[in-house]
Amino acid sequence: FFPTEMAQGYVSDDHDILKSGLPNSVNEQIKKESGEIYWAETYKSPVRLDGEVIGTVGFARDITEKQYLQSEVTKQQNAYQSLVQNLPTTIIRYDLDGKRIFVNSRCHETYDVEIPYELNKTPLELWSPYIVNMTGEAFMAELMEVMQFNLQKTLEIHSLHEALVAVHQVRIVPEFDENHQICGALTIATDITEVAEYRRKIENMAFHDQLTGLPNRTLFSQKLLTAISKAQTDNSKFAL
């Protein structure tokens, strides 16, 4: 009834079931005489009489459409995964306990931390030693506040590694489940090192004399106002 190779496979399956007494299920491609390929699911189970296996019984059904849909879903998932992994941004997902549940490949380049060790750990448990302007405790507090109060936050993280300074703008947003309840948080970090350097140069030009490089009147006035404000807040004095 079947081509020789396929028939031998079915007989072999029958023998295995007769020996083990265990059912067997397999999905396989079958080629029709016309050359058309379709998918079939075959299930076989032992037949017992008085506790003894005396034969097998099974069924087969065409699952071509189901297999096609699964293939399309897999393609979409792979495309989405490839997109997320190759974006020029660092993407990290956190659960409600602040544990990382997803980290894209860009994370290693940004924070120099191996990805397998990142997962299932909070910023308190694992924090990049190269981040110089924020502690894991401070970031954890920001993260939990976003999830607790349904906020969105934007932070800057500065990292120093091998004398190279990198600046990343980190956006923290809450994530929602199908019931519109907060189920975690998402952070997206973008490298703004060049922008930060340009900003620093602009600020330096605004507060320093271009010829001598010395602080100018604008910076003096700013420092003076800051000192006055601090003295008023602390109820202290200062001299000029």
Side-chain angles (χ1 to χ4, degrees):
F1 188 79
F2 294 105
T4 303
E5 185 178 351
M6 187 180 296
Q8 288 174 344
Y10 291 153
V11 171
S12 177
D13 290 341
D14 282 334
H15 287 164
D16 290 342
I17 294 170
L18 290 169
K19 290 178 180 179
S20 67
L22 299 175
N24 182 36
S25 178
V26 62
N27 295 343
E28 59 184 346
Q29 281 186 323
I30 296 178
K31 186 175 182 179
K32 297 181 179 180
E33 291 182 359
S34 62
E36 181 185 355
I37 300 292
Y38 72 96
W39 281 89
E41 177 188 41
T42 304
Y43 177 85
K44 289 186 177 181
S45 177
V47 176
R48 289 183 171 86
L49 181 64
D50 297 329
E52 181 183 354
V53 177
I54 62 169
T56 65
V57 63
F59 70 84
R61 60 176 179 172
D62 189 332
I63 59 167
T64 304
E65 184 177 357
K66 176 185 175 182
Q67 203 72 13
Y68 171 77
L69 293 175
Q70 287 180 341
S71 175
E72 288 300 304
V73 169
T74 300
K75 286 180 182 178
Q76 291 180 9
Q77 289 176 337
N78 290 340
Y80 168 77
Q81 189 77 2
S82 176
L83 173 65
V84 172
Q85 292 291 0
N86 292 292
L87 281 173
T89 55
T90 299
I91 300 174
I92 303 177
R93 294 179 64 203
Y94 296 85
D95 64 14
L96 290 174
D97 296 322
K99 291 185 176 182
R100 302 175 184 93
I101 56 176
F102 172 81
V103 177
N104 75 339
S105 57
R106 194 76 177 184
C107 184
H108 174 65
E109 300 175 30
T110 303
Y111 302 120
D112 200 39
V113 176
E114 294 294 340
I115 291 174
Y117 299 101
E118 279 276 312
L119 295 177
N120 300 315
K121 293 183 182 296
T122 69
L124 291 175
E125 296 170 321
L126 182 62
W127 188 244
S128 173
Y130 303 110
I131 296 176
V132 295
N133 70 321
M134 179 172 287
T135 63
E137 290 81 1
F139 186 84
M140 184 75 171
E142 299 281 2
L143 185 66
M144 299 309 288
E145 188 176 355
V146 165
M147 293 188 287
Q148 184 176 356
F149 299 106
N150 190 13
L151 303 175
Q152 295 189 12
K153 294 197 171 206
T154 301
L155 313 171
E156 277 193 14
I157 288 184
H158 300 179
S159 56
L160 177 62
H161 184 47
E162 296 181 352
L164 297 176
V165 178
V167 181
H168 287 83
Q169 184 182 73
V170 180
R171 182 76 171 166
I172 311 176
V173 298
E175 275 202 284
F176 301 89
D177 60 19
E178 62 275 8
N179 298 317
H180 304 290
Q181 300 296 313
I182 294 176
C183 62
L186 181 71
T187 63
I188 303 172
T190 306
D191 190 336
I192 60 167
T193 303
E194 292 185 7
V195 175
E197 179 62 20
Y198 179 73
R199 183 179 60 196
R200 186 193 65 78
K201 290 181 179 179
I202 294 296
E203 290 176 352
N204 186 73
M205 291 172 60
F207 294 120
H208 293 79
D209 179 74
Q210 295 303 298
L211 181 62
T212 64
L214 295 172
N216 62 15
R217 181 179 297 181
T218 303
L219 183 58
F220 169 77
S221 299
Q222 186 186 74
K223 295 290 187 181
L224 181 61
L225 291 173
T226 300
I228 293 172
S229 177
K230 186 176 185 303
Q232 292 174 336
T233 302
D234 300 342
N235 195 26
S236 59
K237 298 178 181 181
F238 75 97
L240 173 64

